[in-house]
Amino acid sequence: MKVLVLGADGYLGWPLSLRLAIKGHEVMGIDNLATRRAVEEIGSNSAFPLPSPQERVKEAKRILGVNIDFSIGDITNKEFLREAIKSYKPDAVVHFAEQRSAPYSMKDLDHAVYTVRNNLESTLNLIYLVKDIDPSIHILKMGTMGEYGTPNFDIPESPFVDAIVNGKNDKIFTPRWGGSVYHMSKIFDSYFLAYFNRIFNLTITDIMQGPVYGTRTSEIVEESLRTRFDFDETWGTVVNRFCVEAILGIPLTPYGKGGQTRGFLSLEDSINALTLLLENPPKREEYRVVNQFMEIYSINEIAEIVKRAGEDLGLDVTINHVENPRVEAEEHYYNPERKVLPALGYKPKKNLAEEVKIMIEDLIPYKERLERYKTAIMPKTKWKS
Ligand SMILES: NC(=O)c1ccc[n+]([C@@H]2O[C@H](COP(=O)([O-])OP(=O)(O)OC[C@H]3O[C@@H](n4cnc5c(N)ncnc54)[C@H](O)[C@@H]3O)[C@@H](O)[C@H]2O)c1
């Protein structure tokens, strides 16, 4: 299979490119390096030093013996993306290339507008270009479980649900309620995908993924193959951030009551699941939604797991709840459905308690580097300011 990976320099894009290449698929990556710049903008950096895309590709060839084509460019530039799809002729396009931080999108109006423009323009470009060039291309688009919010009902996996309003039956788009401009941009992406799937007869997988944690996949066997790893308040997802806090002796920082509950998955499981979904596309012209997570935890449970793992490794770890900078329910019902991946035979390979120990061990040698960006860890971006 020929796969075009948009956002191939990112936390998920790089390991997915390695995995697909090692499985014998042809891979071309595209990225405008926006995340590298935006992480530096807030005074932070990846925990692991990142080689340039050109060096990464060379190292993949030297160490794993695989070829990955890489092109630097912005997919909100429709002519650039048109040329890439036209000349590469992919069977599938993976769309990761979005601004993916909720706090970054909530900093101020400029960051909100950038997030909406970048995310919606990239998705619309992809939809229209696939329709123009070859509507049979499978679009695998990364959304987020955060699109659903935390409703008091079980979260369905199907794109549409039955609804009775004022005594009348109808089908509606599965309810969504985002908790940031970033999440709202993902919701609009999903509406566009479902809408244009019907109009242009496109074949789409729209993945609702939970927060990912981890430092490794089976291809990351040397430092030069590592993927980025963010741990600051803007870019670090919670498990990754807590692991770095444990190493730096900063109390772990659940926001507010810490009862916020989400579905998590390891980097290895995310990459395995994405590969499976690419190798098992939906039916032609189907809009398939996938709820992609493996284990459900509250933030308080995550903090306890990281504390125990740190203590087992000789670290002194404490937990200190801080004022919640976000506007979100801190205690709530949470029961999302998950059928598509199990039906494809997917079984998770990792669990949080074991993986967190590996993460802390992988990160300890970079303690001095982490210290340099310590001031970027405590929450500063307030939803209401
Ligand atoms: N990491 C997670 O926990 C997680 C969870 C759920 C969903 N997601 C989604 O998965 C996708 C990938 O996430 P990630 O963690 O790898 O993020 P990332 O920021 O590390 O990767 C995204 C990549 O896309 C690139 N990019 C952004 N805008 C671009 C543009 N206009 N043109 C070209 N390249 C562009 C960035 O430079 C970056 O390298 C994102 O869409 C994110 O919203 C991530």
Side-chain angles (χ1 to χ4, degrees), residues 11-12 31-32 34-35 74-75 100 118 142 182 186 212:
Y11 179 54
L12 302 178
D31 206 292
N32 67 350
T35 298
D74 191 326
I75 64 157
R100 57 99 175 153
N118 188 63
M142 188 55 97
Y182 157 73
K186 293 283 192 188
V212 181

Side-chain angles (χ1 to χ4, degrees), residues 29-85:
I30 285 183
D31 206 292
N32 67 350
L33 312 188
T35 298
R36 292 191 189 221
R37 286 189 295 276
V39 175
E40 283 175 23
E41 174 194 326
I42 59 111
S44 189
N45 213 317
S46 161
F48 305 120
L50 292 181
S52 68
Q54 294 80 1
E55 284 164 330
R56 285 183 140 176
V57 165
K58 261 197 223 153
E59 287 296 275
K61 175 84 187 156
R62 181 181 71 81
I63 299 164
L64 303 174
V66 295
N67 288 316
I68 296 174
D69 290 328
F70 202 104
S71 174
I72 293 190
D74 191 326
I75 64 157
T76 62
N77 176 343
K78 68 173 187 296
E79 292 314 324
F80 166 76
L81 187 59
R82 185 193 306 279
E83 194 41 45
I85 298 176

Side-chain angles (χ1 to χ4, degrees), residues 98-113:
E98 297 205 336
Q99 190 301 91
R100 57 99 175 153
S101 157
Y104 192 79
S105 75
M106 296 300 285
K107 281 193 184 299
D108 54 29
L109 176 61
D110 289 346
H111 288 81
V113 169

Side-chain angles (χ1 to χ4, degrees), residues 5-23:
V5 180
L6 309 175
D9 190 54
Y11 179 54
L12 302 178
W14 178 240
L16 180 65
S17 301
L18 292 176
R19 171 65 49 84
L20 292 172
I22 211 119
K23 289 199 77 181

